[in-house]
Amino acid sequence: MCRSRKAYTLAYKKRVDVERDTYLPRQSPKGLLWCTDCGAVYYRQHWTITPPQEIKERLESFNGVSFTLCPACRKIRDHYPSGELHLGGLWKVETTTEKLAQRLGRCLEKARGGKVVYKSHNNKFVRVLWQKEPLKKVA
Ligand SMILES: [Zn+2]
């Protein structure tokens, strides 16, 4: 009996073009980074406003700490939002990440009811529309 071996291939996987956020570094920076604008701290491969106590102590000693601008502050300076939240036609909130706009929309829907619509553009920018009253159908 002869068994043929099928070659393992990834051809069945759906190819999705995901554009990379150009404000994020290609490689994880070494050491601690401290944003000079907002005070966010980069450690364990993410930025946070509320680092744990041992990280705060390292920041106070300036041991292995580099100063920079975090990606969010750079986006704000460049006026390059990654998301927008429209609040029922009242005003618009711009966000530095798509996920933040989506989370805000979900929180609004959960807290205040209404209807949320998500419109993504090339996996790089999202527009979230929240309406207090459900959208009315036009007859
Ligand atoms: Zn910052």
Side-chain angles (χ1 to χ4, degrees), residues 20-34:
R20 194 180 155 281
D21 189 346
T22 56
Y23 283 81
L24 296 177
R26 287 198 175 271
Q27 293 181 339
S28 182
K30 303 291 181 209
L32 292 176
L33 299 180
W34 198 354

Side-chain angles (χ1 to χ4, degrees), residues 35 38 70 73:
C35 179
C38 69
C70 70
C73 286

